[in-house]
Amino acid sequence: MDASVKPAGARSDATLVFRLDFYVGERHTFGVGFSDNVVFRKQHYVQYVPAPAGPSLYRHTGERYLNPDVTPEQFAAAAADQSSGVQKMTPDDEAQPTKWMFSVGDPGFEADLTISLTLDP
């Protein structure tokens, strides 16, 4: 990741946000034509927050806490409140995290996923 490439108006630190668009559907070929049924569709945002002790990643289900004025301390406080839509992602290794696990879903679909980030010095 190259944290130096950011749009104007973005946070001044090395925090980055990725938008993930999840779509799960099923296709039926019965009858006339095709029929696509949406099983799950949702956008999530993954926020990378660097820190001297090691980076943290947060999964957001909305844009409320993605404002450049929100501090990393506010992300952490929001993650402690399950109704906030912010989840601190779990690293594979606390000492040298390179992969983080998180869950997405609703009553019709559920998945446990992993994201891996490699910093480009």
Side-chain angles (χ1 to χ4, degrees):
M1 276 184 318
D2 185 352
S4 67
V5 181
K6 294 174 125 182
R11 297 178 63 92
S12 59
D13 61 12
T15 298
L16 296 174
V17 176
F18 303 90
R19 182 176 57 199
L20 306 175
D21 191 9
F22 296 99
Y23 172 84
V24 177
E26 61 182 359
R27 176 165 278 192
H28 298 283
T29 58
F30 306 115
V32 179
F34 291 98
S35 173
D36 288 333
N37 294 324
V38 176
V39 175
F40 177 78
R41 180 171 173 92
K42 182 114 174 116
Q43 287 186 348
H44 288 257
Y45 301 87
V46 173
Q47 183 172 35
Y48 168 84
V49 180
S56 294
L57 266 71
Y58 295 90
R59 180 194 52 88
H60 299 258
T61 57
E63 298 178 12
R64 178 178 175 192
Y65 293 98
L66 297 176
N67 185 316
D69 298 331
V70 178
T71 66
E73 293 77 21
Q74 289 171 308
F75 305 139
D81 177 5
Q82 290 188 351
S83 67
S84 71
V86 179
Q87 173 194 13
K88 185 171 184 182
M89 296 166 64
T90 307
D92 63 334
D93 180 358
E94 292 285 343
Q96 289 189 315
T98 58
K99 296 178 185 175
W100 290 262
M101 285 66 75
F102 65 105
S103 299
V104 298
D106 64 13
F109 172 78
E110 191 172 312
D112 294 322
L113 305 169
T114 302
I115 189 166
S116 177
L117 298 177
T118 303
L119 298 178
D120 186 14

